[in-house]
mmCIF file of all heavy atoms in Angstrom:
data_model
loop_
_atom_site.group_PDB
_atom_site.id
_atom_site.type_symbol
_atom_site.label_atom_id
_atom_site.label_comp_id
_atom_site.label_asym_id
_atom_site.label_seq_id
_atom_site.Cartn_x
_atom_site.Cartn_y
_atom_site.Cartn_z
ATOM 1 N N ILE A 540 47.733 55.511 44.126
ATOM 2 C CA ILE A 540 47.670 56.053 45.483
ATOM 3 C C ILE A 540 49.054 55.900 46.109
ATOM 4 O O ILE A 540 49.671 54.848 45.990
ATOM 5 C CB ILE A 540 46.640 55.296 46.335
ATOM 6 C CG1 ILE A 540 45.240 55.436 45.752
ATOM 7 C CG2 ILE A 540 46.676 55.781 47.782
ATOM 8 C CD1 ILE A 540 44.205 54.559 46.430
ATOM 9 N N ASN A 541 49.528 56.952 46.780
ATOM 10 C CA ASN A 541 50.800 56.871 47.489
ATOM 11 C C ASN A 541 50.581 57.331 48.923
ATOM 12 O O ASN A 541 50.433 58.524 49.169
ATOM 13 C CB ASN A 541 51.860 57.726 46.808
ATOM 14 C CG ASN A 541 53.209 57.621 47.481
ATOM 15 O OD1 ASN A 541 53.388 56.883 48.436
ATOM 16 N ND2 ASN A 541 54.162 58.378 46.979
ATOM 17 N N SER A 542 50.545 56.392 49.860
ATOM 18 C CA SER A 542 50.374 56.746 51.264
ATOM 19 C C SER A 542 51.718 56.840 51.986
ATOM 20 O O SER A 542 51.767 57.115 53.170
ATOM 21 C CB SER A 542 49.475 55.722 51.962
ATOM 22 O OG SER A 542 50.029 54.433 51.847
ATOM 23 N N GLU A 543 52.805 56.617 51.255
ATOM 24 C CA GLU A 543 54.150 56.666 51.847
ATOM 25 C C GLU A 543 54.818 58.024 51.698
ATOM 26 O O GLU A 543 55.900 58.239 52.218
ATOM 27 C CB GLU A 543 55.050 55.613 51.172
ATOM 28 C CG GLU A 543 54.559 54.199 51.319
ATOM 29 C CD GLU A 543 54.625 53.719 52.755
ATOM 30 O OE1 GLU A 543 55.617 54.033 53.438
ATOM 31 O OE2 GLU A 543 53.679 53.055 53.189
ATOM 32 N N GLY A 544 54.227 58.932 50.948
ATOM 33 C CA GLY A 544 54.880 60.216 50.728
ATOM 34 C C GLY A 544 54.115 61.074 49.744
ATOM 35 O O GLY A 544 52.896 61.081 49.725
ATOM 36 N N ILE A 545 54.850 61.768 48.885
ATOM 37 C CA ILE A 545 54.275 62.755 47.986
ATOM 38 C C ILE A 545 54.579 62.386 46.539
ATOM 39 O O ILE A 545 55.730 62.151 46.176
ATOM 40 C CB ILE A 545 54.867 64.150 48.280
ATOM 41 C CG1 ILE A 545 54.573 64.536 49.729
ATOM 42 C CG2 ILE A 545 54.321 65.188 47.328
ATOM 43 C CD1 ILE A 545 55.318 65.770 50.186
ATOM 44 N N LEU A 546 53.544 62.351 45.700
ATOM 45 C CA LEU A 546 53.724 62.171 44.261
ATOM 46 C C LEU A 546 53.877 63.542 43.614
ATOM 47 O O LEU A 546 53.365 64.537 44.119
ATOM 48 C CB LEU A 546 52.518 61.465 43.641
ATOM 49 C CG LEU A 546 52.257 60.029 44.069
ATOM 50 C CD1 LEU A 546 50.953 59.519 43.452
ATOM 51 C CD2 LEU A 546 53.414 59.130 43.667
ATOM 52 N N GLY A 547 54.526 63.590 42.455
ATOM 53 C CA GLY A 547 54.663 64.849 41.739
ATOM 54 C C GLY A 547 55.124 64.654 40.318
ATOM 55 O O GLY A 547 55.504 63.567 39.914
ATOM 56 N N SER A 548 55.068 65.720 39.552
ATOM 57 C CA SER A 548 55.611 65.793 38.195
ATOM 58 C C SER A 548 55.116 64.698 37.254
ATOM 59 O O SER A 548 55.913 63.985 36.649
ATOM 60 C CB SER A 548 57.139 65.744 38.244
ATOM 61 O OG SER A 548 57.640 66.680 39.141
ATOM 62 N N PRO A 549 53.807 64.543 37.079
ATOM 63 C CA PRO A 549 53.353 63.520 36.122
ATOM 64 C C PRO A 549 53.811 63.868 34.706
ATOM 65 O O PRO A 549 53.836 65.033 34.321
ATOM 66 C CB PRO A 549 51.828 63.560 36.239
ATOM 67 C CG PRO A 549 51.507 64.873 36.835
ATOM 68 C CD PRO A 549 52.692 65.298 37.640
ATOM 69 N N SER A 550 54.186 62.843 33.968
ATOM 70 C CA SER A 550 54.649 63.029 32.596
ATOM 71 C C SER A 550 54.161 61.864 31.746
ATOM 72 O O SER A 550 54.408 60.703 32.080
ATOM 73 C CB SER A 550 56.181 63.103 32.574
ATOM 74 O OG SER A 550 56.641 63.311 31.271
ATOM 75 N N TRP A 551 53.480 62.161 30.668
ATOM 76 C CA TRP A 551 52.915 61.135 29.785
ATOM 77 C C TRP A 551 53.986 60.554 28.867
ATOM 78 O O TRP A 551 54.876 61.272 28.411
ATOM 79 C CB TRP A 551 51.822 61.730 28.906
ATOM 80 C CG TRP A 551 50.581 62.108 29.640
ATOM 81 C CD1 TRP A 551 50.336 63.291 30.273
ATOM 82 C CD2 TRP A 551 49.412 61.309 29.811
ATOM 83 N NE1 TRP A 551 49.086 63.277 30.818
ATOM 84 C CE2 TRP A 551 48.494 62.078 30.552
ATOM 85 C CE3 TRP A 551 49.050 60.025 29.405
ATOM 86 C CZ2 TRP A 551 47.227 61.600 30.892
ATOM 87 C CZ3 TRP A 551 47.795 59.555 29.744
ATOM 88 C CH2 TRP A 551 46.902 60.320 30.479
ATOM 89 N N SER A 552 53.869 59.279 28.552
ATOM 90 C CA SER A 552 54.720 58.682 27.520
ATOM 91 C C SER A 552 54.258 59.230 26.171
ATOM 92 O O SER A 552 53.115 59.676 26.033
ATOM 93 C CB SER A 552 54.618 57.154 27.550
ATOM 94 O OG SER A 552 53.295 56.730 27.259
ATOM 95 N N PRO A 553 55.120 59.220 25.155
ATOM 96 C CA PRO A 553 54.740 59.772 23.846
ATOM 97 C C PRO A 553 53.482 59.142 23.247
ATOM 98 O O PRO A 553 52.702 59.828 22.593
ATOM 99 C CB PRO A 553 55.963 59.494 22.970
ATOM 100 C CG PRO A 553 57.104 59.449 23.932
ATOM 101 C CD PRO A 553 56.535 58.829 25.181
ATOM 102 N N ASP A 554 53.259 57.844 23.512
ATOM 103 C CA ASP A 554 52.068 57.197 22.957
ATOM 104 C C ASP A 554 50.836 57.359 23.849
ATOM 105 O O ASP A 554 49.750 56.915 23.505
ATOM 106 C CB ASP A 554 52.329 55.718 22.687
ATOM 107 C CG ASP A 554 52.604 54.903 23.947
ATOM 108 O OD1 ASP A 554 52.603 55.486 25.066
ATOM 109 O OD2 ASP A 554 52.830 53.692 23.821
ATOM 110 N N GLY A 555 50.982 58.004 25.024
ATOM 111 C CA GLY A 555 49.861 58.244 25.918
ATOM 112 C C GLY A 555 49.402 57.030 26.703
ATOM 113 O O GLY A 555 48.385 57.074 27.384
ATOM 114 N N ALA A 556 50.151 55.940 26.647
ATOM 115 C CA ALA A 556 49.736 54.708 27.319
ATOM 116 C C ALA A 556 50.167 54.656 28.783
ATOM 117 O O ALA A 556 49.575 53.922 29.570
ATOM 118 C CB ALA A 556 50.300 53.497 26.579
ATOM 119 N N ARG A 557 51.195 55.419 29.155
ATOM 120 C CA ARG A 557 51.727 55.367 30.525
ATOM 121 C C ARG A 557 51.992 56.777 31.040
ATOM 122 O O ARG A 557 52.182 57.707 30.274
ATOM 123 C CB ARG A 557 53.018 54.563 30.561
ATOM 124 C CG ARG A 557 52.832 53.096 30.254
ATOM 125 C CD ARG A 557 54.161 52.371 30.284
ATOM 126 N NE ARG A 557 55.099 52.947 29.330
ATOM 127 C CZ ARG A 557 55.408 52.401 28.164
ATOM 128 N NH1 ARG A 557 54.882 51.271 27.817
ATOM 129 N NH2 ARG A 557 56.264 52.991 27.357
ATOM 130 N N ILE A 558 52.040 56.858 32.380
ATOM 131 C CA ILE A 558 52.362 58.116 33.040
ATOM 132 C C ILE A 558 53.465 57.837 34.060
ATOM 133 O O ILE A 558 53.331 56.937 34.887
ATOM 134 C CB ILE A 558 51.141 58.710 33.772
ATOM 135 C CG1 ILE A 558 49.969 58.869 32.805
ATOM 136 C CG2 ILE A 558 51.493 60.043 34.417
ATOM 137 C CD1 ILE A 558 48.658 59.163 33.485
ATOM 138 N N ALA A 559 54.533 58.603 33.989
ATOM 139 C CA ALA A 559 55.603 58.500 34.985
ATOM 140 C C ALA A 559 55.398 59.619 36.006
ATOM 141 O O ALA A 559 54.980 60.725 35.653
ATOM 142 C CB ALA A 559 56.961 58.642 34.318
ATOM 143 N N VAL A 560 55.659 59.320 37.281
ATOM 144 C CA VAL A 560 55.598 60.329 38.335
ATOM 145 C C VAL A 560 56.822 60.180 39.228
ATOM 146 O O VAL A 560 57.396 59.099 39.331
ATOM 147 C CB VAL A 560 54.323 60.214 39.203
ATOM 148 C CG1 VAL A 560 53.077 60.525 38.404
ATOM 149 C CG2 VAL A 560 54.217 58.873 39.870
ATOM 150 N N SER A 561 57.208 61.272 39.852
ATOM 151 C CA SER A 561 58.249 61.179 40.872
ATOM 152 C C SER A 561 57.553 60.965 42.210
ATOM 153 O O SER A 561 56.388 61.312 42.379
ATOM 154 C CB SER A 561 59.108 62.438 40.892
ATOM 155 O OG SER A 561 58.303 63.568 41.109
ATOM 156 N N ALA A 562 58.268 60.363 43.150
ATOM 157 C CA ALA A 562 57.693 60.104 44.463
ATOM 158 C C ALA A 562 58.718 60.425 45.537
ATOM 159 O O ALA A 562 59.861 59.992 45.455
ATOM 160 C CB ALA A 562 57.250 58.652 44.567
ATOM 161 N N LEU A 563 58.301 61.186 46.529
ATOM 162 C CA LEU A 563 59.142 61.507 47.676
ATOM 163 C C LEU A 563 58.662 60.668 48.845
ATOM 164 O O LEU A 563 57.506 60.752 49.245
ATOM 165 C CB LEU A 563 59.039 62.986 48.029
ATOM 166 C CG LEU A 563 59.723 63.429 49.317
ATOM 167 C CD1 LEU A 563 61.228 63.254 49.214
ATOM 168 C CD2 LEU A 563 59.372 64.864 49.635
ATOM 169 N N ASN A 564 59.540 59.827 49.386
ATOM 170 C CA ASN A 564 59.199 59.006 50.530
ATOM 171 C C ASN A 564 59.292 59.867 51.789
ATOM 172 O O ASN A 564 60.352 60.412 52.091
ATOM 173 C CB ASN A 564 60.131 57.804 50.632
ATOM 174 C CG ASN A 564 59.752 56.866 51.747
ATOM 175 O OD1 ASN A 564 59.704 57.258 52.910
ATOM 176 N ND2 ASN A 564 59.462 55.624 51.392
ATOM 177 N N ALA A 565 58.183 59.993 52.516
ATOM 178 C CA ALA A 565 58.146 60.856 53.684
ATOM 179 C C ALA A 565 59.043 60.354 54.810
ATOM 180 O O ALA A 565 59.536 61.148 55.609
ATOM 181 C CB ALA A 565 56.712 60.981 54.185
ATOM 182 N N ASN A 566 59.260 59.055 54.875
ATOM 183 C CA ASN A 566 60.072 58.495 55.961
ATOM 184 C C ASN A 566 61.567 58.644 55.697
ATOM 185 O O ASN A 566 62.329 59.038 56.570
ATOM 186 C CB ASN A 566 59.728 57.038 56.194
ATOM 187 C CG ASN A 566 58.276 56.881 56.622
ATOM 188 O OD1 ASN A 566 57.775 57.686 57.382
ATOM 189 N ND2 ASN A 566 57.611 55.870 56.115
ATOM 190 N N SER A 567 61.989 58.303 54.482
ATOM 191 C CA SER A 567 63.430 58.287 54.189
ATOM 192 C C SER A 567 63.914 59.567 53.492
ATOM 193 O O SER A 567 65.103 59.837 53.468
ATOM 194 C CB SER A 567 63.764 57.077 53.300
ATOM 195 O OG SER A 567 63.212 57.256 52.012
ATOM 196 N N GLY A 568 63.010 60.322 52.893
ATOM 197 C CA GLY A 568 63.408 61.502 52.137
ATOM 198 C C GLY A 568 63.903 61.176 50.743
ATOM 199 O O GLY A 568 64.319 62.043 49.996
ATOM 200 N N ALA A 569 63.837 59.880 50.357
ATOM 201 C CA ALA A 569 64.311 59.454 49.045
ATOM 202 C C ALA A 569 63.311 59.848 47.948
ATOM 203 O O ALA A 569 62.107 59.747 48.133
ATOM 204 C CB ALA A 569 64.516 57.940 49.017
ATOM 205 N N VAL A 570 63.843 60.312 46.835
ATOM 206 C CA VAL A 570 63.019 60.651 45.676
ATOM 207 C C VAL A 570 63.246 59.579 44.621
ATOM 208 O O VAL A 570 64.374 59.264 44.275
ATOM 209 C CB VAL A 570 63.381 62.035 45.106
ATOM 210 C CG1 VAL A 570 62.569 62.332 43.861
ATOM 211 C CG2 VAL A 570 63.170 63.113 46.149
ATOM 212 N N THR A 571 62.135 58.989 44.115
ATOM 213 C CA THR A 571 62.224 57.970 43.069
ATOM 214 C C THR A 571 61.411 58.378 41.866
ATOM 215 O O THR A 571 60.590 59.247 41.929
ATOM 216 C CB THR A 571 61.723 56.614 43.571
ATOM 217 O OG1 THR A 571 60.392 56.758 44.060
ATOM 218 C CG2 THR A 571 62.610 56.070 44.667
#
Side-chain angles (χ1 to χ4, degrees):
I540 298 172
N541 182 2
S542 58
E543 300 293 320
I545 301 170
L546 295 175
S548 309
S550 181
W551 290 86
S552 63
D554 65 0
R557 293 179 302 256
I558 305 168
V560 294
S561 57
L563 172 65
N564 184 301
N566 298 321
S567 69
V570 177
T571 56

